[in-house]
Amino acid sequence: MLDGNKVLFSGMQATGNLTLGNYLGALKNWVELSTQYMCFYSVVDMHSITVRQDPAELRKRARRLMAIYIAAGIDPEKACLYYQSHVTGHAELAWILNCFTYMGELNRMTQFKDKSAKHADNINAGLFTYPVLMAADILLYQADVVPVGIDQKQHLELTRDLAIRFNNIYGDVFTVPEAYIPKVGAKIMSLQDPTKKMSKSDENPNASIYLMDDADTVARKCKRAVTDSEGIIAYREEQPGVSNLLDIYSACVGKTPEEAVKEFEGQGYGALKTAVAESVNAILTPLQTRVAEIEKDKDWLDQRIKENAEKATYYSTKTLRKVQKKVGFPVRPR
Ligand code: TRP
């Protein structure tokens, strides 16, 4: 709770280009949730440097992500949209929480194991304590709910454990947050391997539809999407490719997959793919237009970024000062 409002926190990394899966599985929900909670949506650039980044590229993508948040329909005058690196409290609280986190706990994190295997030449301490920075993000704003994908659930459990541990020692300092995992229907799979999640880091560009793909590219990728030799449009486990196309279509037009199956009765995969591409483009084309408008109005965007960083600093500092006092840091003379 902050100022009597229920608080929601979430963040996305600006590494890679956002996919349709990020939009349908997360961002679309964020827009809806932004009318129900006091929301903090961060571009978590400090998390991004746990993997080596090209600086100019990271900066560019971070700004693009900010524009996408707004273009998707999150009102920057209501929700707090900000860069994690603009608010110093994240690093400060992360340090303190590091001192309350056990090596054993971090060793158990499956994402750390996966990422260390993937970046064997750069297993840095930041990668190891990544979940602690994430806990700091959430706890700084006394978040009640945190929408995350299933892959982040373990990090959220750790966040809760840390909050409870800290509260047990020092009294009620942190709100213990709840994970908010959206229903499975919105999970979009790769177009080339429908047993795998659609990912912004997939090396095969045909596997993912990117939010900034133009209409022809979307049509081409849909046409090339892997299906099967059954020849029947059905929504079932044995047909993951076709089911994924039905998931995409139904999420885009706001129907259930079962309704979509009825709609395509007696039709072939070609017709389905065409309809999927059209439904996707009906969302992406206007989104891209808004992104371009927002990016063009540089001063306006800069002003929103500045105001929101100040707002995030205000709320995070409240929590941080309380924590610093609890652990025994000297009070700042006024
Ligand atoms: N680790 C998250 C991801 O990669 C991003 C993230 C960082 C986040 N801090 C967060 C998500 C806090 C929710 C809350 O998806």
Side-chain angles (χ1 to χ4, degrees), residues 23 39 148 194 208 240 267 321:
Y23 177 79
C39 291
V148 282
S208 309
Q267 300 192 48
R321 293 292 175 261

Side-chain angles (χ1 to χ4, degrees), residues 9-13 44 47 130 134 137-138 146-148 152 155:
F9 186 96
S10 202
M12 261 187 217
Q13 295 204 43
V44 291
H47 279 104
Y130 177 116
M134 185 162 156
D137 297 344
I138 296 164
V146 183
V148 282
Q152 296 297 312
H155 292 164

Side-chain angles (χ1 to χ4, degrees), residues 11-15 18 27 30 42-44 59-71 81 83 200 211 291 295:
M12 261 187 217
Q13 295 204 43
T15 43
L18 246 58
L27 207 48
W30 288 16
S42 188
V43 174
V44 291
R59 201 170 359 256
K60 203 175 87 192
R61 287 184 198 276
R63 191 168 173 98
R64 166 63 54 91
L65 181 53
M66 191 66 87
I68 289 176
Y69 281 177
I70 299 169
L81 309 178
Y83 297 117
K200 52 187 173 182
L211 292 189
V291 168
E295 288 185 338

Side-chain angles (χ1 to χ4, degrees), residues 65-200:
L65 181 53
M66 191 66 87
I68 289 176
Y69 281 177
I70 299 169
I74 303 171
D75 183 349
E77 317 245 0
K78 295 211 175 83
C80 187
L81 309 178
Y82 71 99
Y83 297 117
Q84 186 185 30
S85 64
H86 282 186
V87 179
T88 58
H90 290 257
E92 293 177 82
L93 183 60
W95 172 254
I96 296 173
L97 293 178
N98 264 325
C99 302
F100 291 84
T101 310
Y102 302 115
M103 299 288 283
E105 287 178 303
L106 295 179
N107 263 322
R108 280 200 293 277
M109 294 291 133
T110 56
Q111 190 170 72
F112 172 67
K113 290 185 216 172
D114 293 347
K115 286 197 181 173
S116 336
K118 216 169 136 192
H119 305 279
D121 56 336
N122 182 19
I123 306 175
N124 60 71
L127 197 60
F128 189 61
T129 63
Y130 177 116
V132 183
L133 178 58
M134 185 162 156
D137 297 344
I138 296 164
L139 299 180
L140 264 183
Y141 300 95
Q142 307 290 352
D144 298 278
V145 289
V146 183
V148 282
I150 191 87
D151 61 319
Q152 296 297 312
K153 187 144 183 267
Q154 199 184 26
H155 292 164
L156 212 59
E157 285 302 322
L158 177 73
T159 304
R160 288 169 56 86
D161 289 345
L162 292 179
I164 293 167
R165 184 172 306 156
F166 199 93
N167 287 350
N168 281 340
I169 305 173
Y170 299 105
D172 268 349
V173 177
F174 294 125
T175 302
V176 181
E178 302 278 345
Y180 174 99
I181 314 246
K183 44 190 184 327
V184 273
K187 192 170 175 197
I188 305 303
M189 312 305 277
S190 155
L191 296 180
Q192 292 297 315
D193 176 1
T195 61
K196 237 175 51 183
K197 206 172 125 180
M198 183 181 284
S199 162
K200 52 187 173 182

